[in-house]
Amino acid sequence: MENKRNYHTRQQEAVAEYFRLNPDVCATADDIYLYFMREKGKIGKATIYRCLDRMVENGEVKRFLSDGGDGAMYQLIDPANGCDRHFHLKCTSCGRVIHLDCGFMAAFEKHIVGHHGFRVDNTRTIIYGLCETCAAAQ
Amino acid sequence: MENKRNYHTRQQEAVAEYFRLNPDVCATADDIYLYFMREKGKIGKATIYRCLDRMVENGEVKRFLSDGGDGAMYQLIDPANGCDRHFHLKCTSCGRVIHLDCGFMAAFEKHIVGHHGFRVDNTRTIIYGLCETCAAAQ
DNA sequence: TTGATTGCAAACAATTTGCAATACT
DNA sequence: AGTATTGCAAATTGTTTGCAATCAA
């Protein structure tokens, strides 16, 4: 079924590169646009959006919406790093993302599915709060 | 300080009423707009947004961004119901929200702050996944 | 009367879309 | 050659803002 060939382009490669270089960062389409303009030359914004759509569809990148309302954020789903399995904590103050790979989480998910019949999707879920540093700074 | 009087209007009352009638629903500004038009007559959209802003500011309502990108969602923070304390699970298929008031969650938060130094903010956090019904239907 | 709130229309910002030009294989 | 991808500009969509009219106190 669905057999659409996949052409390899300069633009796509650059977007992939951006994520490779910034595996922990939540980037906006604009961040990537600016990266391209700075390092690689000109690009159309629509192209960025289309690349990102493709990557989200392929499960390479996760798309979510920031609290701020400044638009969507994209982040690499690094399977080598277990990003498809673990939770992400995001600090609402400094924006840092913590990858939560921890046995307790498995218990957490098991509890939720067992007691509440709810199957957590951790590729979509982001837990907001304050990281240690920012909490201390307050 | 800050002593801005608060006038009571037909429009504000209707928005509050909407939330009172739908304490569990995540509504868009447009949902509320349509509710008003249907039940109460005409209203400007800007007014809806301004009412909602006010309520968010007062901590009566929570604002968050849906996955779909269809815009912001608003939901009553019902203190009588502990919505300021417990987690919310949202089904990505049917949109239903489950209020998770459960001892395990306290343990969860304690674990995260203890082992990962992260202070969870459950007024902002929404856990996505599939509810029992939708999971069964697949 | 005083100041907050409304409604409209215009302004905005992020994203999407149509389509002809271009690049990949 | 044949088709996916790009770039531009125009169109959409959700939200915000300026301002005069209106309404609550």
Side-chain angles (χ1 to χ4, degrees):
Chain A
M1 14 209 120
E2 269 317 313
N3 248 338
K4 213 166 147 189
R5 224 177 312 172
N6 181 350
Y7 291 10
H8 203 243
T9 67
R10 201 168 62 84
Q11 291 84 335
Q12 284 177 41
E13 169 50 28
V15 175
E17 174 182 296
Y18 177 90
F19 283 112
R20 242 180 287 121
L21 296 175
N22 304 71
D24 274 7
V25 168
C26 301
T28 63
D30 207 57
D31 291 335
I32 295 167
Y33 174 73
L34 294 173
Y35 168 77
F36 197 103
M37 296 294 271
R38 192 162 2 90
E39 310 280 331
K40 313 280 175 174
K42 265 180 81 185
I43 194 172
K45 275 216 178 142
T47 303
I48 301 279
Y49 283 108
R50 285 189 277 229
C51 282
L52 288 170
D53 284 351
R54 244 175 264 134
M55 298 181 85
V56 169
E57 201 137 311
N58 294 346
E60 303 163 49
V61 157
K62 132 155 83 170
R63 172 184 204 266
F64 60 92
L65 294 151
S66 83
D67 259 4
D70 3 314
M73 316 269 303
Y74 300 85
Q75 189 192 357
L76 185 64
I77 298 178
D78 185 356
N81 194 12
C83 287
D84 48 335
R85 295 188 302 283
H86 61 216
F87 276 104
H88 295 100
L89 308 177
K90 178 156 200 217
C91 179
T92 51
S93 173
C94 68
R96 196 157 70 93
V97 171
I98 298 169
H99 301 252
L100 202 63
D101 246 328
C102 155
F104 195 89
M105 289 301 113
F108 172 77
E109 288 192 49
K110 190 171 284 182
H111 169 87
I112 293 202
V113 78
H115 290 66
H116 308 280
F118 192 90
R119 216 171 283 180
V120 174
D121 178 350
N122 34 33
T123 72
R124 300 220 210 199
T125 300
I126 292 179
I127 295 175
Y128 293 98
L130 273 186
C131 75
E132 198 150 26
T133 322
C134 291
Q138 305 220 329
Chain B
M1 17 201 116
E2 269 316 315
N3 248 338
K4 213 165 146 187
R5 224 178 310 173
N6 181 351
Y7 291 12
H8 204 243
T9 67
R10 202 167 64 84
Q11 291 83 338
Q12 285 177 40
E13 170 49 28
V15 175
E17 175 182 295
Y18 178 90
F19 283 112
R20 239 180 288 124
L21 297 174
N22 305 72
D24 274 7
V25 168
C26 300
T28 62
D30 208 57
D31 291 336
I32 295 168
Y33 174 74
L34 293 173
Y35 168 78
F36 197 102
M37 297 294 271
R38 190 161 7 87
E39 309 282 331
K40 311 282 174 173
K42 265 180 80 184
I43 194 172
K45 277 219 176 137
T47 303
I48 301 279
Y49 282 107
R50 285 189 276 229
C51 281
L52 289 170
D53 284 351
R54 242 175 266 136
M55 297 180 85
V56 168
E57 200 136 313
N58 294 345
E60 302 163 49
V61 157
K62 132 156 84 173
R63 172 183 204 266
F64 59 91
L65 294 151
S66 84
D67 258 3
D70 4 315
M73 317 270 302
Y74 299 85
Q75 189 191 0
L76 186 63
I77 297 179
D78 186 355
N81 195 12
C83 287
D84 47 335
R85 294 187 302 281
H86 60 218
F87 276 104
H88 294 100
L89 308 178
K90 178 156 200 215
C91 178
T92 51
S93 173
C94 69
R96 194 158 71 92
V97 171
I98 298 169
H99 300 252
L100 202 64
D101 245 327
C102 154
F104 196 89
M105 288 302 114
F108 172 76
E109 288 192 48
K110 190 172 285 181
H111 169 86
I112 294 203
V113 78
H115 290 65
H116 308 279
F118 192 90
R119 214 170 284 180
V120 174
D121 178 350
N122 34 31
T123 72
R124 299 218 211 199
T125 300
I126 293 179
I127 295 175
Y128 294 98
L130 273 186
C131 76
E132 199 149 26
T133 322
C134 291
Q138 305 222 329

